[in-house]
Amino acid sequence: MTDLDLRELQGTEFPVPADLQGNVAITSLSKIYNWSRKNSVWPMLFGLACCAIEMIATAASRYDLSRFGMEVMRASPRQADLMIVSGTVTKKMVVPIVRLYNQMPEPKYVLAMGACASGGGPFKEGYNVVSGIDKYLPVDVYAPGCPPTPQALLFALIALHRKIDGQSLANMDDVPWYGVGPSDPTPIPILGPDIIDPRQMDIIRRQAELAAAGLPYGKREVPDLVLTAGAASTSAPRTAAEKAADKVASAPAAAAADDPEKAARLAKREAALARKRARQQQQSE
Amino acid sequence: MTDQSLVPERLEKADLDTAYKVLKEKYPDAVRDDTRTGYSGVIVDKNRLVDVAKTIRDELGFNYLSHATAVDYLGLGDHLEMVYYAYRISGGPGLVFKTQTDREKAEVPSLVSIWPGADFQEREAYDLYGIRFSGHPNLKRILLWEGFNGHPMRKDWKEPYYEQEHKPFDSRWPKGYVRRAEELNPYGKNVQYPADIDLSRLNDISEESIYSGMGLGVDIQELTTSDGIRTDRLVVNLGPHHPSTHGVFRMVVTLNGETVETLEPVMGYLHRNHEQIGERNAWIHNIPFTDRLDYISGMGNNHGYVLAVENLLATGARYQPPTYRAEVIRVLMVELNRIVNHLWAIGFLLNDLGAFFTPSLYAIAEREKILDFFEATSGARMMFNYMRFGGLAKDLPEYIRSTANLVNDQIRDFNTMEYLTDLINERLPRAIDELDTYLTESEVMTSRTIGVGYLPPEMAIAYSCSGPLLRASGVPYDVRRADPYSIYPELDFDVAVRYNGDIYDRYLVRIDEMRESIRILKQILPRLERTKGEPIFAGNKAYMPRVPVGESYGRVENPKGELGFYVVSAGDEKGTQNPWRYHVRAPSFINLTPLGQMCQGHKVADIVAVLGSIDIVLGETDR
């Protein structure tokens, strides 16, 4: 940014005398603050999979990331502002990723690059694959593609710039890192029999109790509205004990009867699904 | 210099039959023919496996174990099977031998003592299939973490998002309903826990087991060397997030001062279940997945997989081999991809040596020109999905239209043949010469690489190394020559080989190989002109081909080494639409086996250089 055009910063109604235009800028603090930091977002030097190759190609001479003040890729999370999650996040890898995220100083941003980081991508069904980094970390920008081309990544970065531009210093919700005290770190997942997110302890405990009681567990208690015939069992631990238990508490509506809140939620959901189906039918017709 | 035993001596098919006969005569009660339809080789009694393997290596001369993998025949004999493919380093077809074990108490003797290259592959089979290898020096999980529930590649193990055995899932086709997998899982995540999970005793033992394997109870230990210098022995962790580890690779190193004592690779940080997903997929579904193995050279991966399946298809009726034009274009793509890969590898080797990013910028510049051609042809820069069983997806376009060809702010269309001619005759040779001029004599290069990371030829063979790593150690083994496929027999090229086995020679082999690729490509150009307009696909296109029952191993010389696909089709006599077993013999994975030995005694900074010289890609290492 050698040619600094001050007019770009002019943001208030204050009249600047004609002979001072180009020499003096009057603007809001948010605007100049965001303008400067959006043009020096330092990404972390951090590649996961195929997308990392396109990320490197973006940083190379042809696409030239340095046009956006972002060429300074830092290997240390403590010097980075942006984590580009460039590739498939596996359960084994999400532990170090959360650690790295926690080590980044605020304000920090996460860009989910490609289908895998956004939602698991082609490997979603894999037993060691996390279906999107947003299951563990807050994501600011998603870049679709498998892998996104350098152009797509640049577009995502510009989207991030726009987001930074819109964060007002006057609004504490926009800039929570100026609040009181340090923000809470994201709890680090545990590699047990499968990956365990400490934030999900309650739901895991509830399921474990169900399992101990010989009741069906590991399956969501929503009516199987769509997948009726054909696709039979959906989850692995369907045992004889579970089928027997099905008879006891077969209809999920019955299970939810003692919990009106849940029943209402289920009804709402059912209606939404019905609407969706109707819409699908309409489309197919 | 080359060992006498390494001098090429071609093995013929009849030779292989003699080898099987010798085995059966020597071990009449332990070796029998594999008589299942579509299978080849012999089945060895597991109690005599080590003896038989020793005979195969020492007496029959099959000294190169290409790959070892497990297959679960649940419902088809209810046993687990280990499959080994051994080759002669002088070339020729491979000797197949198998051993079977019970599913419940799966145990097979380890072959690490015969072929150290089996080390990681046996650990992988233990991890994914739960086969215990008696006598294995370091049997622990390799791709997943210690404490993981079950062995996921077994046919009765179901992943959390399990929907059905095979694709296409009924819900998607023909019904057309799509539901997010998370909605069916109470955790909303891709997880499932065993019924007897004990939440009060959750501790992560995955890290502990890695460090305890280093033979040290403590992180730091004071030492005094013989000449009275006080130093420390310490355990240092490199990765999985490390700027020089080429992805999410991790190494745990014991250092004596600054010298490496032991090094253990830790992998699995990009284990994305390629093989398990591959067994749910239909045959043709796997082609785009192979692109994501070695994501720098997708064309080679496509080629290996289609070769493996074509081998199987050829045993059935109504199969037509790919047309000549298809073969020509395949070789064109693969060789261009080899140049892409080596440019990348050399650029990033220099990164590792401390010449940060400048050499890479030069190397990547020409890569972009090749990617433009790939993009115009296949539609993608990296994930090509270009080859098909019996042909190709598309022919070459007449023009390359790309915004990337902005010259003087004008979008230019290039005639494909002119573009290719210019690329192959002018630009690429110039780029290779440029790298050669700037790097080969460079101080950064020579002082850091000559004599570092030495790998003797005997060790390279024993450790099942392949590709430039093997050839830089003086072993002229190249699958294109040793076990030719496609139209390589009619092409004139030399196998690049260097004899010092250090990082510098691995670099030089890559430069040589790029030049050989240019030589091949120059022979491809007139063939492309000649076959213009000819079909690129033989027979009818089939989306769901029925693949005849049997096993097949297709291998190609990928830029990183020998890439093999072991596929099993197990169905009724009409064949199947899904692979029963889909295994990838990944060169990046197996080439890492001797990494520890290569780094021993060097300084910690050299680890990075040695790793860079092996040229790994984590998508393929971890699959």
Side-chain angles (χ1 to χ4, degrees), chain B residues 12 32 83 109 117 153 192 204 207 222 233 238 247 281 292 298-299 340 360-361 363 399 529 543:
Chain B
E12 300 306 328
R32 61 191 164 88
V83 185
M153 285 296 287
Q192 84 193 355
D204 196 332
E207 290 293 296
E222 274 192 36
R233 177 188 285 154
L238 286 151
N281 282 346
R292 288 156 180 82
M299 287 293 182
V340 166
S360 309
L361 285 181
Y399 288 99
E529 292 283 8
Y543 289 106

Side-chain angles (χ1 to χ4, degrees), chain A residues 62 91 126 195 197 200 234, chain B residues 162 187 189-190 193 368 404:
Chain A
R62 189 182 191 179
K91 289 175 184 172
I195 195 157
D197 188 345
Q200 284 197 312
T234 41
Chain B
Y162 175 78
Y187 313 102
K189 289 181 182 171
N190 189 9
Y193 304 103
E368 291 285 339

Side-chain angles (χ1 to χ4, degrees), chain B residues 197-272:
Chain B
I197 183 169
D198 185 357
L199 289 168
S200 58
R201 297 180 58 192
L202 275 183
N203 50 348
D204 196 332
I205 57 162
S206 53
E207 290 293 296
E208 220 175 275
S209 66
I210 293 167
Y211 291 110
S212 70
M214 303 306 290
L216 274 177
V218 287
D219 280 356
I220 299 183
Q221 190 183 13
E222 274 192 36
L223 291 178
T224 309
T225 55
S226 52
D227 41 359
I229 300 169
R230 294 238 314 273
T231 173
D232 279 339
R233 177 188 285 154
L234 59 157
V235 178
V236 173
N237 179 56
L238 286 151
H241 164 65
H242 191 275
S244 67
T245 49
H246 293 245
V248 287
F249 184 62
R250 179 179 174 190
M251 291 166 284
V252 182
V253 190
T254 322
L255 297 178
N256 181 351
E258 214 191 326
T259 312
V260 178
E261 282 198 342
T262 55
L263 179 146
E264 195 178 321
V266 183
M267 45 190 107
Y269 290 95
L270 194 58
H271 175 48
R272 40 191 184 183

Side-chain angles (χ1 to χ4, degrees), chain B residues 591-610:
Chain B
N591 282 355
L592 281 173
T593 324
L595 177 67
Q597 271 86 341
M598 278 155 69
C599 291
Q600 238 164 37
H602 288 300
K603 299 283 181 256
V604 70
D606 293 329
I607 298 175
V608 171
V610 173

Side-chain angles (χ1 to χ4, degrees), chain A residues 44-50 53-54 56-57 59-63 75 88 90-93 96 100 122-129 131 135-136 146-147 149-150 190-197 200-201 203-205 207-208 211 217-220 222-224 226-227 229-231 233-234 236 269 276 280, chain B residues 128 142-145 147-149 152 157-163 167 170-171 175 177-180 182-195 197 199 202 204 206 240-241 243 247-248 267-273 276-277 289 292 295-296 344 348 357 361 364 367-368 372 381-383 404:
Chain A
M44 189 151 70
L45 180 58
F46 168 67
L48 287 180
C50 336
I53 306 296
E54 285 296 56
I56 295 167
S61 47
R62 189 182 191 179
Y63 299 97
T88 316
T90 62
K91 289 175 184 172
K92 209 170 168 178
M93 192 60 202
L100 289 169
F123 299 98
K124 178 171 178 167
E125 62 209 88
Y127 49 84
N128 191 30
V129 176
S131 14
K135 298 277 187 292
Y136 291 87
C146 189
T149 55
I190 303 163
L191 290 175
D194 202 335
I195 195 157
I196 291 168
D197 188 345
Q200 284 197 312
M201 234 25 164
I203 182 171
I204 297 170
R205 189 163 291 123
Q207 295 288 326
Y217 80 103
K219 191 172 188 296
R220 184 157 270 203
V222 289
D224 222 3
V226 184
L227 305 171
S233 66
T234 41
R269 192 192 155 76
K276 190 177 167 193
Q280 271 172 352
Chain B
L128 303 181
I142 186 164
L143 295 178
L144 292 160
W145 60 90
F148 185 82
N149 179 37
W157 195 95
K158 305 280 187 262
E159 67 272 21
Y161 282 170
Y162 175 78
E163 189 168 337
K167 284 179 192 164
D170 289 347
S171 60
K175 288 183 200 154
Y177 295 129
V178 181
R179 200 170 189 188
R180 290 172 76 235
E182 287 94 327
E183 288 175 24
L184 300 170
N185 195 314
Y187 313 102
K189 289 181 182 171
N190 189 9
V191 290
Q192 84 193 355
Y193 304 103
I197 183 169
L199 289 168
L202 275 183
D204 196 332
S206 53
H241 164 65
V248 287
M267 45 190 107
Y269 290 95
L270 194 58
H271 175 48
R272 40 191 184 183
N273 329 127
Q276 205 236 19
I277 293 173
F289 278 86
R292 288 156 180 82
Y295 34 76
I296 298 171
W344 190 271
F348 282 81
F357 220 56
L361 285 181
I364 295 174
R367 172 182 181 262
E368 291 285 339
D372 279 349
R381 282 162 54 86
M382 279 165 66
M383 306 304 175

Side-chain angles (χ1 to χ4, degrees), chain B residues 35-144:
Chain B
T35 50
R36 292 170 288 182
T37 340
Y39 286 74
S40 61
V42 287
I43 296 174
V44 182
D45 182 5
K46 67 174 182 180
N47 298 320
R48 304 294 302 276
L49 183 67
V50 176
D51 298 334
V52 174
K54 207 170 269 172
T55 311
I56 291 171
R57 186 192 67 178
D58 297 338
E59 290 172 33
L60 300 174
F62 290 84
N63 50 354
Y64 182 77
L65 181 75
S66 167
H67 88 130
T69 188
V71 190
D72 182 4
Y73 284 103
L74 176 69
L76 299 163
D78 285 329
H79 58 264
L80 288 169
E81 190 169 290
M82 278 300 291
V83 185
Y84 304 89
Y85 274 72
Y87 288 86
R88 280 188 189 157
I89 204 70
S90 48
L95 188 142
V96 192
F97 61 104
K98 298 154 195 176
T99 188
Q100 296 176 343
T101 179
D102 191 40
R103 289 186 87 249
E104 296 308 314
K105 278 179 64 186
E107 189 160 1
V108 169
S110 167
L111 290 187
V112 175
S113 55
I114 315 282
W115 286 291
D119 183 352
F120 284 4
Q121 304 181 63
E122 286 182 354
R123 275 177 70 189
E124 186 192 319
Y126 164 68
D127 189 357
L128 303 181
Y129 283 92
I131 302 177
R132 296 204 69 84
F133 290 89
S134 45
H136 192 287
N138 184 22
L139 192 65
K140 55 185 185 193
R141 288 193 184 256
I142 186 164
L143 295 178
L144 292 160

Side-chain angles (χ1 to χ4, degrees), chain A residues 137-156:
Chain A
L137 299 180
V139 175
D140 295 280
V141 182
Y142 297 87
C146 189
T149 55
Q151 295 93 321
L153 178 61
L154 289 177
F155 181 74

